[in-house]
Each structure stands twice: as structure tokens, then as C-alpha cells.
Amino acid sequence: MEFVIMPPLNVAKGARTISVVVRTLPARALVPRHAHDHARLIYAVQGVMSVSTAQGSWVVPPERAIWVPPHTDHEIRSYGAEVMMRSLDLAPRGFPRLQKSSCCVVGVSRLMRELVLRHAELAGQPPSLALRLIRELMALELRQLPVSALHLPMPRDARLREVCERIVRNPGDRLTLDDWGRRVGASSRTLARHFVAETGMNFQRWRQQARLMEALTRLASGQSVTAVAMDLGYDSPSAFTAMFRRTLGCPPRSYFVN
């Protein structure tokens, strides 16, 4: 899949605690690896994107956003329809605890969504009571956004990383851990130990997460549930749907319905 290269976008530096970054990415766009001085909550009111760092990757579907700490190298890819981004840059003095946290996908409440949209509409206008109150409400919401399990951690061990990178390229592969061990020159027991130590997941759970991440980008691009299930190694669409519902709380057909 080819991606259109788009340059990074930084918000103008200023004294504001919260600033909104408005941007639209076309489908299949790539914003190359870059970093920001401020923490950034990368949010799209429409479309699906993924964000990758050296530590792993995160898929950001509708009603989700990703928290990226300052000075964290990351790249962004968009999928399906164009991605309408309304991201937030957060000054360190206003959110000292969040500045030190790790990347994570968080849920965006309906209130937070409307606050972000209204803030974007008022951006560039003279300071007002409405804008100040919006920022105060946003600051309260930011401190209690729920974390979502949409992270695919990448290990440091060279042999294990090779296994993981191959699975990411072909998540429907059904090779066992014994098969992978023979390919990379390590016992399945060694690989299993490293999986848990370096990713916090066992092999089966990590591969399921890789398949889920791929499924989200494919579904966002308009592929059918049946096609996605078969391509990703599931025995049937119902087996895939059961995994999807168990992990994300709803079936894939309704996940992208606003």
C-alpha cells in the first residue's frame, strides 16, 4: 500500500495552556517520524489513523485519541476516508504529570469532542470568557480520559523483534511459536519468556492484538468483515466477530458507526 507523504505540522508557540491543531489528511497519508516540544493529544473527529514509535504502534479509530508525550519521535498513517484531525498541544506547566507519561490511546467523551470542535471554531479570535471556560473544561476532561487497549508493543530482543515484524507484515500467518523458534534460532520456551517479559503479553495474545490492529485499518478502508476475518487467519467471520466484541465491546459492523 502506497502512502502520500505529508509534512509534520507544529502549532505556533505561545503562552496558552491548550492549543488546537487543525489538519486534514487524505486517505493513505504518511506523516514521517517527528517530535513536538509540547505533549500532543492526537485526535480525529473523522477517519482512522495509526501512530508508531520505537516502542510500538497504536491504532486510533473514531472516538479515540492518542496521547504523545513531548520529544517523542512518532509517525502517523491515515486509512480509509480522509482524517479530520483536531489535535491538542498542551503546555508543560499546565499538565506536569501527563508530560511524563507514555503514549496511550484514550477514549474521547462526547463532551470532550464538542469542546474540541468549539475550541477549533474559536481559534484565532480575541480572548473571551467562552474560550477560557472551554479550556478549563477541557483540562478537567483531559485528566480523566479512559485508556483503551489498542497498543501493539514491540520487543527489544532481536530474534523476537524479527518474529513480531514478520507477523505485522502478515498477521494472518498461522505459524506456531515452535515454527518461529526454528526460523530465528531460538527455542519456543525462550521466545515465550521474552514475549511476556518485553511485551507484557504471551505469543497468542500478542498475535491476536496484531490481527486486531490490522483489522481496524482494513475495516476503516471499507473491507467486509468476512474478507478481513479470512485474511487474518480466523476460521470463520463469527470467530473473528467474537474476538472483536470481546476486546472492544461491540461487533465490527457497529464499531465505526457514530
Side-chain angles (χ1 to χ4, degrees), residues 1-6 25-30 48 77-83 221:
M1 180 185 297
E2 294 185 359
F3 286 80
V4 178
I5 307 299
M6 304 289 290
L25 296 177
R28 297 187 300 278
L30 167 64
V48 175
R77 295 174 186 265
S78 62
Y79 302 90
E82 66 179 12
V83 172
S221 299

Side-chain angles (χ1 to χ4, degrees), residues 146-214:
V147 176
S148 299
L150 292 173
H151 176 212
L152 187 68
M154 294 298 287
R156 299 179 302 276
D157 180 84
R159 295 166 299 179
L160 194 60
R161 195 169 185 99
E162 180 181 348
V163 172
C164 291
E165 288 175 348
R166 289 188 183 186
I167 292 175
V168 168
R169 290 194 295 269
N170 183 21
D173 196 300
R174 298 194 182 199
L175 292 177
T176 67
L177 203 54
D178 286 327
D179 296 329
W180 284 116
R182 286 190 289 270
R183 292 193 175 202
V184 300
S187 70
S188 60
R189 181 174 297 180
T190 296
L191 291 180
R193 186 172 64 252
H194 279 294
F195 254 112
V196 174
E198 298 194 27
T199 71
M201 306 177 185
N202 61 29
F203 170 67
Q204 291 79 11
R205 178 70 183 88
W206 192 94
R207 182 167 62 183
Q208 176 183 294
Q209 189 76 350
R211 289 174 173 177
L212 177 64
M213 304 275 277
E214 179 68 14

Side-chain angles (χ1 to χ4, degrees), residues 211 214-216 218-219 223-234 240:
R211 289 174 173 177
E214 179 68 14
L216 287 170
R218 293 191 183 203
L219 292 168
Q223 294 186 28
S224 69
V225 172
T226 298
V228 171
M230 296 298 99
D231 285 349
L232 296 185
Y234 287 88
F240 167 71

Side-chain angles (χ1 to χ4, degrees), residues 11-209:
V11 71
K13 293 183 178 180
R16 292 176 180 172
T17 303
I18 302 176
S19 300
V20 176
V21 183
V22 177
R23 187 177 198 184
T24 298
L25 296 177
R28 297 187 300 278
L30 167 64
V31 181
R33 200 160 291 258
H34 64 287
H36 307 289
D37 292 334
H38 290 177
R40 178 167 287 187
L41 187 74
I42 302 176
Y43 173 56
V45 297
Q46 173 184 301
V48 175
M49 56 188 167
S50 67
V51 176
S52 300
T53 72
Q55 287 69 48
S57 59
W58 294 258
V59 170
V60 192
E63 299 181 7
R64 304 291 190 279
I66 180 168
W67 177 263
V68 180
H71 312 296
T72 300
D73 288 331
H74 61 284
E75 68 177 27
I76 304 171
R77 295 174 186 265
S78 62
Y79 302 90
E82 66 179 12
V83 172
M84 297 173 58
M85 300 174 68
R86 300 293 184 270
S87 301
L88 303 179
D89 270 15
L90 309 175
R93 71 179 185 282
F95 304 90
R97 180 181 63 82
L98 295 178
Q99 299 289 325
K100 299 177 182 178
S101 62
S102 303
C103 289
C104 61
V105 172
V106 296
V108 176
S109 66
R110 292 183 180 180
L111 173 59
M112 187 64 177
R113 172 189 168 90
E114 295 306 316
L115 289 171
V116 170
L117 291 175
R118 185 59 177 152
H119 191 295
E121 292 175 0
L122 296 176
Q125 296 186 16
S128 64
L129 175 61
L131 196 54
R132 180 172 65 82
L133 292 175
I134 287 172
R135 289 189 181 130
E136 289 179 1
L137 279 174
M138 289 170 69
L140 290 174
E141 285 289 294
L142 282 168
R143 292 180 172 89
Q144 56 188 12
L145 297 180
V147 176
S148 299
L150 292 173
H151 176 212
L152 187 68
M154 294 298 287
R156 299 179 302 276
D157 180 84
R159 295 166 299 179
L160 194 60
R161 195 169 185 99
E162 180 181 348
V163 172
C164 291
E165 288 175 348
R166 289 188 183 186
I167 292 175
V168 168
R169 290 194 295 269
N170 183 21
D173 196 300
R174 298 194 182 199
L175 292 177
T176 67
L177 203 54
D178 286 327
D179 296 329
W180 284 116
R182 286 190 289 270
R183 292 193 175 202
V184 300
S187 70
S188 60
R189 181 174 297 180
T190 296
L191 291 180
R193 186 172 64 252
H194 279 294
F195 254 112
V196 174
E198 298 194 27
T199 71
M201 306 177 185
N202 61 29
F203 170 67
Q204 291 79 11
R205 178 70 183 88
W206 192 94
R207 182 167 62 183
Q208 176 183 294
Q209 189 76 350

